[in-house]
């Protein structure tokens, strides 16, 4: 179940999908080749008959030689209300 609404006061049954984007990049530090792998983890929640009700990106960071060079906070977007017209 996913909570939604302005104050997360409503609940709906939703299917959860996980997508992981993986990047295996290479860079050069002078003449030294570096591997810079990282991944971004996303979740999407779909309510039957409604569609997307929530999307979420988990926090991630990129490290080079053990040092964090980039940090991204996670985020989420949640449906606040919906109306199905016949």
């Amino acid at each position: 179940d996913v909570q939604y609404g302005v104050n997360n006061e409503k609940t709906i049954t939703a299917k959860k999908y996980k997508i992981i984007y993986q990047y295996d990049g290479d860079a050069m530090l002078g003449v030294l080749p570096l591997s810079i792998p990282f991944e971004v983890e996303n979740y999407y929640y779909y309510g039957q008959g409604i569609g997307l009700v929530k999307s979420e990106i988990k926090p991630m960071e990129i490290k080079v030689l053990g040092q964090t060079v980039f940090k991204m906070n996670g985020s989420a977007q949640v449906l606040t209300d919906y109306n199905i017209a016949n």
Side-chain angles (χ1 to χ4, degrees), residues 12-78:
I12 191 165
T13 300
K15 289 187 177 182
K16 177 181 179 181
Y17 296 90
K18 178 181 180 180
I19 299 175
I20 298 175
Y21 298 97
Q22 292 182 321
Y23 178 78
D24 293 320
D26 294 317
M28 296 292 289
L29 179 61
V31 294
L32 178 66
L34 297 173
S35 176
I36 308 174
F38 67 91
E39 66 181 38
V40 180
E41 200 171 304
N42 297 299
Y43 293 91
Y44 298 96
Y45 302 82
Y46 288 88
Q48 185 175 353
I50 298 169
L52 183 64
V53 294
K54 181 178 180 181
S55 64
E56 184 177 10
I57 301 172
K58 294 295 186 181
M60 58 84 68
E61 56 184 39
I62 298 173
K63 292 185 176 189
V64 176
L65 300 173
Q67 298 294 318
T68 300
V69 294
F70 178 79
K71 196 171 195 174
M72 182 179 80
N73 295 326
S75 66
Q77 296 175 337
V78 181

Short mmCIF file of all heavy atoms in Angstrom, two decimals, residues 12-78:
data_model
loop_
_atom_site.label_atom_id
_atom_site.label_comp_id
_atom_site.label_asym_id
_atom_site.label_seq_id
_atom_site.Cartn_x
_atom_site.Cartn_y
_atom_site.Cartn_z
N ILE A 12 -3.64 3.66 -0.89
CA ILE A 12 -4.10 2.94 -2.07
C ILE A 12 -3.17 1.76 -2.31
O ILE A 12 -1.98 1.82 -2.01
CB ILE A 12 -4.12 3.86 -3.31
CG1 ILE A 12 -4.85 3.17 -4.45
CG2 ILE A 12 -2.74 4.28 -3.73
CD1 ILE A 12 -5.24 4.10 -5.58
N THR A 13 -3.74 0.67 -2.81
CA THR A 13 -2.94 -0.50 -3.16
C THR A 13 -2.24 -0.22 -4.48
O THR A 13 -2.87 0.23 -5.43
CB THR A 13 -3.82 -1.75 -3.27
OG1 THR A 13 -4.47 -1.97 -2.02
CG2 THR A 13 -3.01 -2.97 -3.63
N ALA A 14 -0.95 -0.47 -4.51
CA ALA A 14 -0.17 -0.18 -5.71
C ALA A 14 0.89 -1.25 -5.92
O ALA A 14 1.36 -1.86 -4.97
CB ALA A 14 0.50 1.19 -5.58
N LYS A 15 1.24 -1.46 -7.19
CA LYS A 15 2.34 -2.36 -7.53
C LYS A 15 3.62 -1.54 -7.53
O LYS A 15 3.66 -0.43 -8.03
CB LYS A 15 2.12 -2.98 -8.89
CG LYS A 15 1.01 -4.00 -8.91
CD LYS A 15 0.96 -4.71 -10.24
CE LYS A 15 -0.12 -5.77 -10.19
NZ LYS A 15 -0.17 -6.53 -11.45
N LYS A 16 4.67 -2.15 -6.98
CA LYS A 16 5.96 -1.48 -6.85
C LYS A 16 6.93 -2.03 -7.90
O LYS A 16 7.06 -3.25 -8.05
CB LYS A 16 6.52 -1.72 -5.45
CG LYS A 16 7.88 -1.14 -5.19
CD LYS A 16 8.30 -1.48 -3.75
CE LYS A 16 9.66 -0.97 -3.41
NZ LYS A 16 10.04 -1.33 -2.03
N TYR A 17 7.57 -1.11 -8.63
CA TYR A 17 8.58 -1.48 -9.62
C TYR A 17 9.89 -0.81 -9.26
O TYR A 17 9.93 0.36 -8.92
CB TYR A 17 8.15 -1.04 -11.02
CG TYR A 17 6.88 -1.72 -11.48
CD1 TYR A 17 5.64 -1.16 -11.21
CD2 TYR A 17 6.93 -2.93 -12.16
CE1 TYR A 17 4.47 -1.79 -11.63
CE2 TYR A 17 5.77 -3.56 -12.58
CZ TYR A 17 4.54 -2.98 -12.31
OH TYR A 17 3.39 -3.60 -12.71
N LYS A 18 10.96 -1.59 -9.34
CA LYS A 18 12.30 -1.09 -9.01
C LYS A 18 13.13 -1.06 -10.29
O LYS A 18 13.20 -2.06 -11.01
CB LYS A 18 12.95 -2.00 -7.98
CG LYS A 18 14.35 -1.61 -7.59
CD LYS A 18 14.89 -2.62 -6.57
CE LYS A 18 16.29 -2.31 -6.13
NZ LYS A 18 16.77 -3.29 -5.14
N ILE A 19 13.75 0.09 -10.56
CA ILE A 19 14.64 0.22 -11.71
C ILE A 19 15.98 0.72 -11.20
O ILE A 19 16.04 1.72 -10.47
CB ILE A 19 14.08 1.20 -12.76
CG1 ILE A 19 12.74 0.69 -13.29
CG2 ILE A 19 15.08 1.41 -13.89
CD1 ILE A 19 12.06 1.64 -14.24
N ILE A 20 17.04 0.02 -11.57
CA ILE A 20 18.38 0.43 -11.18
C ILE A 20 19.14 0.83 -12.44
O ILE A 20 19.29 0.03 -13.37
CB ILE A 20 19.13 -0.71 -10.45
CG1 ILE A 20 18.40 -1.07 -9.17
CG2 ILE A 20 20.57 -0.30 -10.16
CD1 ILE A 20 18.99 -2.27 -8.45
N TYR A 21 19.59 2.07 -12.48
CA TYR A 21 20.43 2.56 -13.57
C TYR A 21 21.88 2.39 -13.12
O TYR A 21 22.27 2.93 -12.09
CB TYR A 21 20.15 4.03 -13.87
CG TYR A 21 18.74 4.28 -14.33
CD1 TYR A 21 17.76 4.70 -13.44
CD2 TYR A 21 18.38 4.10 -15.67
CE1 TYR A 21 16.46 4.94 -13.87
CE2 TYR A 21 17.08 4.33 -16.10
CZ TYR A 21 16.12 4.75 -15.19
OH TYR A 21 14.85 4.98 -15.62
N GLN A 22 22.65 1.65 -13.90
CA GLN A 22 24.06 1.43 -13.57
C GLN A 22 24.95 2.10 -14.60
O GLN A 22 24.69 2.01 -15.80
CB GLN A 22 24.37 -0.06 -13.52
CG GLN A 22 23.68 -0.76 -12.37
CD GLN A 22 24.03 -2.24 -12.31
OE1 GLN A 22 24.13 -2.89 -13.34
NE2 GLN A 22 24.21 -2.74 -11.12
N TYR A 23 25.98 2.75 -14.12
CA TYR A 23 26.93 3.43 -14.98
C TYR A 23 28.33 2.94 -14.61
O TYR A 23 28.71 2.97 -13.45
CB TYR A 23 26.84 4.94 -14.79
CG TYR A 23 27.84 5.72 -15.60
CD1 TYR A 23 27.65 5.94 -16.94
CD2 TYR A 23 28.99 6.22 -15.00
CE1 TYR A 23 28.57 6.65 -17.70
CE2 TYR A 23 29.92 6.93 -15.75
CZ TYR A 23 29.70 7.15 -17.09
OH TYR A 23 30.61 7.84 -17.82
N ASP A 24 29.05 2.48 -15.59
CA ASP A 24 30.42 2.01 -15.38
C ASP A 24 31.35 2.86 -16.22
O ASP A 24 31.84 2.43 -17.26
CB ASP A 24 30.55 0.53 -15.76
CG ASP A 24 29.75 -0.37 -14.83
OD1 ASP A 24 29.75 -0.11 -13.62
OD2 ASP A 24 29.12 -1.32 -15.32
N GLY A 25 31.56 4.09 -15.78
CA GLY A 25 32.37 5.04 -16.55
C GLY A 25 33.84 4.94 -16.26
O GLY A 25 34.27 4.42 -15.24
N ASP A 26 34.60 5.45 -17.19
CA ASP A 26 36.05 5.52 -17.05
C ASP A 26 36.48 6.97 -17.20
O ASP A 26 35.87 7.75 -17.92
CB ASP A 26 36.74 4.67 -18.13
CG ASP A 26 36.46 3.19 -17.95
OD1 ASP A 26 36.51 2.72 -16.81
OD2 ASP A 26 36.17 2.53 -18.96
N ALA A 27 37.53 7.33 -16.49
CA ALA A 27 38.09 8.68 -16.58
C ALA A 27 39.61 8.56 -16.50
O ALA A 27 40.15 7.51 -16.19
CB ALA A 27 37.56 9.54 -15.43
N MET A 28 40.25 9.65 -16.78
CA MET A 28 41.72 9.68 -16.69
C MET A 28 42.12 10.75 -15.69
O MET A 28 41.61 11.86 -15.71
CB MET A 28 42.33 10.00 -18.05
CG MET A 28 42.08 8.97 -19.13
SD MET A 28 42.94 7.42 -18.85
CE MET A 28 44.63 7.88 -19.15
N LEU A 29 43.03 10.40 -14.81
CA LEU A 29 43.63 11.34 -13.88
C LEU A 29 45.09 11.44 -14.31
O LEU A 29 45.91 10.60 -13.92
CB LEU A 29 43.49 10.86 -12.44
CG LEU A 29 44.11 11.74 -11.36
CD1 LEU A 29 43.45 13.13 -11.37
CD2 LEU A 29 43.94 11.10 -10.00
N GLY A 30 45.37 12.42 -15.16
CA GLY A 30 46.70 12.47 -15.79
C GLY A 30 46.82 11.30 -16.73
O GLY A 30 46.09 11.19 -17.70
N VAL A 31 47.72 10.38 -16.43
CA VAL A 31 47.87 9.17 -17.25
C VAL A 31 47.27 7.94 -16.56
O VAL A 31 47.33 6.84 -17.10
CB VAL A 31 49.36 8.92 -17.59
CG1 VAL A 31 49.91 10.02 -18.47
CG2 VAL A 31 50.19 8.76 -16.32
N LEU A 32 46.71 8.15 -15.37
CA LEU A 32 46.15 7.06 -14.58
C LEU A 32 44.67 6.85 -14.92
O LEU A 32 43.85 7.75 -14.72
CB LEU A 32 46.29 7.38 -13.08
CG LEU A 32 45.72 6.38 -12.10
CD1 LEU A 32 46.49 5.06 -12.16
CD2 LEU A 32 45.80 6.95 -10.69
N PRO A 33 44.31 5.68 -15.48
CA PRO A 33 42.89 5.43 -15.76
C PRO A 33 42.13 5.10 -14.46
O PRO A 33 42.64 4.42 -13.58
CB PRO A 33 42.93 4.22 -16.69
CG PRO A 33 44.21 3.54 -16.38
CD PRO A 33 45.17 4.60 -15.91
N LEU A 34 40.94 5.64 -14.36
CA LEU A 34 40.09 5.41 -13.20
C LEU A 34 38.76 4.84 -13.63
O LEU A 34 38.19 5.26 -14.63
CB LEU A 34 39.82 6.71 -12.45
CG LEU A 34 40.99 7.45 -11.84
CD1 LEU A 34 40.53 8.79 -11.29
CD2 LEU A 34 41.59 6.61 -10.72
N SER A 35 38.25 3.92 -12.86
CA SER A 35 36.90 3.40 -13.08
C SER A 35 35.97 4.12 -12.09
O SER A 35 36.30 4.25 -10.91
CB SER A 35 36.88 1.89 -12.81
OG SER A 35 35.57 1.41 -12.94
N ILE A 36 34.85 4.61 -12.59
CA ILE A 36 33.92 5.35 -11.73
C ILE A 36 32.53 4.73 -11.86
O ILE A 36 31.65 5.27 -12.53
CB ILE A 36 33.88 6.84 -12.10
CG1 ILE A 36 35.29 7.42 -12.14
CG2 ILE A 36 33.01 7.62 -11.11
CD1 ILE A 36 35.35 8.83 -12.64
N PRO A 37 32.31 3.58 -11.24
CA PRO A 37 30.99 2.96 -11.32
C PRO A 37 30.04 3.57 -10.27
O PRO A 37 30.46 3.94 -9.18
CB PRO A 37 31.27 1.50 -11.00
CG PRO A 37 32.46 1.55 -10.08
CD PRO A 37 33.28 2.74 -10.55
N PHE A 38 28.79 3.70 -10.64
CA PHE A 38 27.76 4.09 -9.67
C PHE A 38 26.41 3.65 -10.18
O PHE A 38 26.26 3.27 -11.35
CB PHE A 38 27.79 5.59 -9.38
CG PHE A 38 27.40 6.47 -10.54
CD1 PHE A 38 26.09 6.85 -10.73
CD2 PHE A 38 28.36 6.93 -11.42
CE1 PHE A 38 25.73 7.66 -11.79
CE2 PHE A 38 28.02 7.75 -12.48
CZ PHE A 38 26.69 8.12 -12.66
N GLU A 39 25.44 3.63 -9.29
CA GLU A 39 24.09 3.27 -9.68
C GLU A 39 23.07 4.16 -8.99
O GLU A 39 23.34 4.69 -7.91
CB GLU A 39 23.79 1.80 -9.41
CG GLU A 39 23.77 1.40 -7.96
CD GLU A 39 23.50 -0.10 -7.77
OE1 GLU A 39 23.99 -0.92 -8.57
OE2 GLU A 39 22.79 -0.43 -6.82
N VAL A 40 21.95 4.34 -9.66
CA VAL A 40 20.85 5.13 -9.12
C VAL A 40 19.65 4.21 -9.03
O VAL A 40 19.28 3.56 -10.00
CB VAL A 40 20.53 6.34 -10.02
CG1 VAL A 40 19.37 7.15 -9.43
CG2 VAL A 40 21.76 7.22 -10.21
N GLU A 41 19.07 4.13 -7.84
CA GLU A 41 17.96 3.22 -7.58
C GLU A 41 16.65 4.01 -7.54
O GLU A 41 16.52 4.97 -6.79
CB GLU A 41 18.21 2.56 -6.21
CG GLU A 41 17.46 1.30 -5.98
CD GLU A 41 17.96 0.61 -4.70
OE1 GLU A 41 19.17 0.34 -4.58
OE2 GLU A 41 17.12 0.40 -3.83
N ASN A 42 15.71 3.60 -8.39
CA ASN A 42 14.40 4.27 -8.48
C ASN A 42 13.28 3.28 -8.20
O ASN A 42 13.38 2.10 -8.55
CB ASN A 42 14.18 4.84 -9.89
CG ASN A 42 15.19 5.90 -10.24
OD1 ASN A 42 15.26 6.91 -9.58
ND2 ASN A 42 15.97 5.67 -11.28
N TYR A 43 12.20 3.79 -7.61
CA TYR A 43 11.01 2.99 -7.36
C TYR A 43 9.80 3.72 -7.93
O TYR A 43 9.69 4.94 -7.79
CB TYR A 43 10.79 2.77 -5.86
CG TYR A 43 11.85 1.91 -5.24
CD1 TYR A 43 13.00 2.48 -4.70
CD2 TYR A 43 11.73 0.53 -5.20
CE1 TYR A 43 13.99 1.70 -4.13
CE2 TYR A 43 12.71 -0.26 -4.63
CZ TYR A 43 13.83 0.33 -4.10
OH TYR A 43 14.81 -0.44 -3.54
N TYR A 44 8.93 2.97 -8.59
CA TYR A 44 7.70 3.53 -9.15
C TYR A 44 6.52 2.70 -8.64
O TYR A 44 6.59 1.47 -8.66
CB TYR A 44 7.74 3.51 -10.68
CG TYR A 44 8.87 4.35 -11.23
CD1 TYR A 44 10.09 3.79 -11.56
CD2 TYR A 44 8.71 5.72 -11.39
CE1 TYR A 44 11.12 4.56 -12.05
CE2 TYR A 44 9.76 6.50 -11.88
CZ TYR A 44 10.95 5.92 -12.20
OH TYR A 44 11.98 6.68 -12.67
N TYR A 45 5.48 3.37 -8.20
CA TYR A 45 4.30 2.73 -7.65
C TYR A 45 3.09 3.07 -8.51
O TYR A 45 2.78 4.24 -8.70
CB TYR A 45 4.06 3.20 -6.22
CG TYR A 45 5.22 2.94 -5.28
CD1 TYR A 45 6.32 3.80 -5.23
CD2 TYR A 45 5.23 1.83 -4.44
CE1 TYR A 45 7.38 3.57 -4.38
CE2 TYR A 45 6.29 1.60 -3.58
CZ TYR A 45 7.36 2.46 -3.55
OH TYR A 45 8.41 2.24 -2.70
N TYR A 46 2.42 2.02 -9.02
CA TYR A 46 1.26 2.22 -9.89
C TYR A 46 0.01 1.66 -9.23
O TYR A 46 -0.04 0.49 -8.86
CB TYR A 46 1.48 1.53 -11.24
CG TYR A 46 2.50 2.24 -12.09
CD1 TYR A 46 3.86 1.95 -11.99
CD2 TYR A 46 2.10 3.21 -12.98
CE1 TYR A 46 4.78 2.61 -12.76
CE2 TYR A 46 3.03 3.89 -13.76
CZ TYR A 46 4.37 3.59 -13.64
OH TYR A 46 5.29 4.26 -14.40
N GLY A 47 -1.00 2.52 -9.09
CA GLY A 47 -2.30 2.10 -8.57
C GLY A 47 -3.18 1.61 -9.71
O GLY A 47 -3.22 2.24 -10.77
N GLN A 48 -3.86 0.49 -9.48
CA GLN A 48 -4.70 -0.07 -10.53
C GLN A 48 -5.81 0.90 -10.90
O GLN A 48 -6.53 1.41 -10.04
CB GLN A 48 -5.29 -1.40 -10.07
CG GLN A 48 -6.09 -2.09 -11.15
CD GLN A 48 -6.58 -3.47 -10.74
OE1 GLN A 48 -6.21 -3.97 -9.69
NE2 GLN A 48 -7.40 -4.06 -11.56
N GLY A 49 -5.96 1.16 -12.18
CA GLY A 49 -7.00 2.06 -12.66
C GLY A 49 -6.67 3.54 -12.48
O GLY A 49 -7.44 4.41 -12.87
N ILE A 50 -5.51 3.83 -11.87
CA ILE A 50 -5.13 5.23 -11.61
C ILE A 50 -3.87 5.59 -12.38
O ILE A 50 -3.79 6.61 -13.03
CB ILE A 50 -4.88 5.47 -10.10
CG1 ILE A 50 -6.16 5.20 -9.33
CG2 ILE A 50 -4.38 6.88 -9.84
CD1 ILE A 50 -5.94 5.16 -7.85
N GLY A 51 -2.86 4.75 -12.27
CA GLY A 51 -1.56 5.03 -12.88
C GLY A 51 -0.52 5.31 -11.81
O GLY A 51 -0.63 4.85 -10.67
N LEU A 52 0.46 6.10 -12.16
CA LEU A 52 1.56 6.40 -11.25
C LEU A 52 1.07 7.20 -10.05
O LEU A 52 0.48 8.26 -10.20
CB LEU A 52 2.65 7.19 -11.98
CG LEU A 52 3.91 7.52 -11.21
CD1 LEU A 52 4.67 6.26 -10.83
CD2 LEU A 52 4.80 8.45 -12.01
N VAL A 53 1.30 6.66 -8.84
CA VAL A 53 0.88 7.36 -7.61
C VAL A 53 2.08 7.83 -6.78
O VAL A 53 1.94 8.70 -5.93
CB VAL A 53 -0.07 6.51 -6.74
CG1 VAL A 53 -1.39 6.30 -7.46
CG2 VAL A 53 0.55 5.18 -6.35
N LYS A 54 3.25 7.24 -7.04
CA LYS A 54 4.45 7.66 -6.29
C LYS A 54 5.69 7.27 -7.08
O LYS A 54 5.74 6.21 -7.69
CB LYS A 54 4.48 6.98 -4.92
CG LYS A 54 5.67 7.36 -4.07
CD LYS A 54 5.62 6.68 -2.70
CE LYS A 54 6.80 7.06 -1.84
NZ LYS A 54 6.76 6.39 -0.54
N SER A 55 6.69 8.15 -7.07
CA SER A 55 8.00 7.82 -7.60
C SER A 55 9.04 8.24 -6.58
O SER A 55 8.86 9.23 -5.88
CB SER A 55 8.25 8.49 -8.96
OG SER A 55 8.26 9.88 -8.82
N GLU A 56 10.09 7.45 -6.49
CA GLU A 56 11.09 7.68 -5.45
C GLU A 56 12.48 7.40 -6.01
O GLU A 56 12.69 6.40 -6.69
CB GLU A 56 10.77 6.74 -4.29
CG GLU A 56 11.62 6.87 -3.09
CD GLU A 56 11.17 5.92 -1.97
OE1 GLU A 56 10.32 5.05 -2.20
OE2 GLU A 56 11.71 6.06 -0.88
N ILE A 57 13.42 8.31 -5.74
CA ILE A 57 14.82 8.13 -6.10
C ILE A 57 15.62 8.06 -4.81
O ILE A 57 15.53 8.95 -3.96
CB ILE A 57 15.34 9.29 -6.97
CG1 ILE A 57 14.51 9.40 -8.25
CG2 ILE A 57 16.82 9.10 -7.29
CD1 ILE A 57 14.84 10.64 -9.06
N LYS A 58 16.36 6.98 -4.65
CA LYS A 58 17.15 6.80 -3.44
C LYS A 58 18.41 7.67 -3.49
O LYS A 58 18.94 7.96 -4.56
CB LYS A 58 17.55 5.32 -3.29
CG LYS A 58 16.38 4.41 -3.04
CD LYS A 58 15.74 4.74 -1.71
CE LYS A 58 14.66 3.75 -1.36
NZ LYS A 58 14.03 4.07 -0.10
N PRO A 59 18.93 8.06 -2.32
CA PRO A 59 20.18 8.83 -2.29
C PRO A 59 21.34 8.01 -2.86
O PRO A 59 21.32 6.78 -2.79
CB PRO A 59 20.42 9.11 -0.81
CG PRO A 59 19.24 8.62 -0.08
CD PRO A 59 18.41 7.81 -1.00
N MET A 60 22.30 8.69 -3.44
CA MET A 60 23.47 7.99 -3.97
C MET A 60 24.69 8.89 -3.88
O MET A 60 24.57 10.09 -3.68
CB MET A 60 23.24 7.54 -5.41
CG MET A 60 22.89 8.65 -6.40
SD MET A 60 24.27 9.56 -7.11
CE MET A 60 25.05 8.36 -8.10
N GLU A 61 25.85 8.28 -4.02
CA GLU A 61 27.08 9.06 -4.06
C GLU A 61 28.07 8.38 -5.00
O GLU A 61 28.01 7.18 -5.23
CB GLU A 61 27.69 9.25 -2.67
CG GLU A 61 27.97 8.00 -1.90
CD GLU A 61 28.49 8.31 -0.50
OE1 GLU A 61 28.01 9.25 0.16
OE2 GLU A 61 29.39 7.57 -0.07
N ILE A 62 28.93 9.20 -5.56
CA ILE A 62 29.98 8.71 -6.46
C ILE A 62 31.31 8.90 -5.73
O ILE A 62 31.60 9.98 -5.23
CB ILE A 62 29.99 9.49 -7.79
CG1 ILE A 62 28.65 9.29 -8.51
CG2 ILE A 62 31.16 9.05 -8.65
CD1 ILE A 62 28.51 10.14 -9.74
N LYS A 63 32.10 7.82 -5.71
CA LYS A 63 33.40 7.87 -5.05
C LYS A 63 34.50 7.62 -6.06
O LYS A 63 34.36 6.79 -6.96
CB LYS A 63 33.48 6.82 -3.95
CG LYS A 63 32.56 7.10 -2.79
CD LYS A 63 32.75 6.11 -1.66
CE LYS A 63 31.88 6.51 -0.49
NZ LYS A 63 32.17 5.72 0.69
N VAL A 64 35.58 8.34 -5.91
CA VAL A 64 36.78 8.14 -6.72
C VAL A 64 37.94 7.94 -5.76
O VAL A 64 38.18 8.78 -4.90
CB VAL A 64 37.05 9.35 -7.65
CG1 VAL A 64 38.35 9.17 -8.40
CG2 VAL A 64 35.89 9.53 -8.62
N LEU A 65 38.62 6.83 -5.89
CA LEU A 65 39.73 6.47 -4.99
C LEU A 65 39.31 6.55 -3.52
O LEU A 65 40.05 7.04 -2.67
CB LEU A 65 40.95 7.37 -5.26
CG LEU A 65 41.51 7.29 -6.68
CD1 LEU A 65 42.60 8.33 -6.87
CD2 LEU A 65 42.06 5.89 -6.95
N GLY A 66 38.09 6.12 -3.23
CA GLY A 66 37.60 6.09 -1.86
C GLY A 66 37.07 7.41 -1.32
O GLY A 66 36.58 7.47 -0.21
N GLN A 67 37.15 8.46 -2.11
CA GLN A 67 36.68 9.79 -1.68
C GLN A 67 35.37 10.12 -2.40
O GLN A 67 35.26 9.95 -3.61
CB GLN A 67 37.72 10.87 -2.02
CG GLN A 67 39.04 10.69 -1.32
CD GLN A 67 38.91 10.86 0.19
OE1 GLN A 67 38.23 11.75 0.66
NE2 GLN A 67 39.58 10.00 0.93
N THR A 68 34.40 10.64 -1.65
CA THR A 68 33.14 11.05 -2.25
C THR A 68 33.35 12.32 -3.05
O THR A 68 33.82 13.33 -2.53
CB THR A 68 32.07 11.29 -1.16
OG1 THR A 68 31.87 10.06 -0.44
CG2 THR A 68 30.75 11.72 -1.76
N VAL A 69 33.01 12.26 -4.35
CA VAL A 69 33.17 13.44 -5.22
C VAL A 69 31.82 14.01 -5.63
O VAL A 69 31.75 15.12 -6.14
CB VAL A 69 34.01 13.12 -6.48
CG1 VAL A 69 35.44 12.78 -6.08
CG2 VAL A 69 33.38 12.01 -7.29
N PHE A 70 30.76 13.25 -5.44
CA PHE A 70 29.42 13.74 -5.76
C PHE A 70 28.42 13.02 -4.87
O PHE A 70 28.51 11.82 -4.67
CB PHE A 70 29.07 13.47 -7.23
CG PHE A 70 27.68 13.91 -7.60
CD1 PHE A 70 27.40 15.24 -7.85
CD2 PHE A 70 26.66 12.99 -7.69
CE1 PHE A 70 26.12 15.65 -8.17
CE2 PHE A 70 25.37 13.39 -8.02
CZ PHE A 70 25.10 14.71 -8.26
N LYS A 71 27.49 13.78 -4.33
CA LYS A 71 26.47 13.21 -3.46
C LYS A 71 25.11 13.76 -3.90
O LYS A 71 24.97 14.96 -4.11
CB LYS A 71 26.76 13.59 -2.02
CG LYS A 71 26.02 12.80 -1.00
CD LYS A 71 26.54 13.11 0.40
CE LYS A 71 26.07 12.06 1.36
NZ LYS A 71 26.64 12.24 2.69
N MET A 72 24.12 12.87 -4.05
CA MET A 72 22.78 13.29 -4.44
C MET A 72 21.80 12.83 -3.37
O MET A 72 21.78 11.66 -3.00
CB MET A 72 22.39 12.66 -5.78
CG MET A 72 21.02 13.09 -6.27
SD MET A 72 20.59 12.35 -7.87
CE MET A 72 20.08 10.71 -7.34
N ASN A 73 21.03 13.79 -2.88
CA ASN A 73 19.97 13.43 -1.93
C ASN A 73 18.88 12.70 -2.68
O ASN A 73 18.67 12.90 -3.87
CB ASN A 73 19.39 14.70 -1.29
CG ASN A 73 20.40 15.42 -0.44
OD1 ASN A 73 21.26 14.80 0.18
ND2 ASN A 73 20.33 16.73 -0.42
N GLY A 74 18.17 11.88 -1.98
CA GLY A 74 17.03 11.20 -2.59
C GLY A 74 15.85 12.15 -2.71
O GLY A 74 15.87 13.26 -2.17
N SER A 75 14.84 11.71 -3.43
CA SER A 75 13.64 12.52 -3.57
C SER A 75 12.45 11.62 -3.81
O SER A 75 12.59 10.45 -4.19
CB SER A 75 13.78 13.52 -4.71
OG SER A 75 13.87 12.84 -5.94
N ALA A 76 11.27 12.16 -3.58
CA ALA A 76 10.03 11.41 -3.84
C ALA A 76 8.96 12.38 -4.31
O ALA A 76 8.93 13.54 -3.90
CB ALA A 76 9.57 10.69 -2.58
N GLN A 77 8.12 11.88 -5.18
CA GLN A 77 6.95 12.63 -5.64
C GLN A 77 5.74 11.75 -5.39
O GLN A 77 5.75 10.56 -5.74
CB GLN A 77 7.06 12.97 -7.12
CG GLN A 77 8.21 13.88 -7.44
CD GLN A 77 8.37 14.11 -8.93
OE1 GLN A 77 7.95 13.33 -9.74
NE2 GLN A 77 8.99 15.23 -9.27
N VAL A 78 4.71 12.33 -4.77
CA VAL A 78 3.53 11.57 -4.39
C VAL A 78 2.27 12.25 -4.91
O VAL A 78 2.16 13.48 -4.81
CB VAL A 78 3.45 11.40 -2.84
CG1 VAL A 78 2.25 10.58 -2.44
CG2 VAL A 78 4.72 10.78 -2.31
#
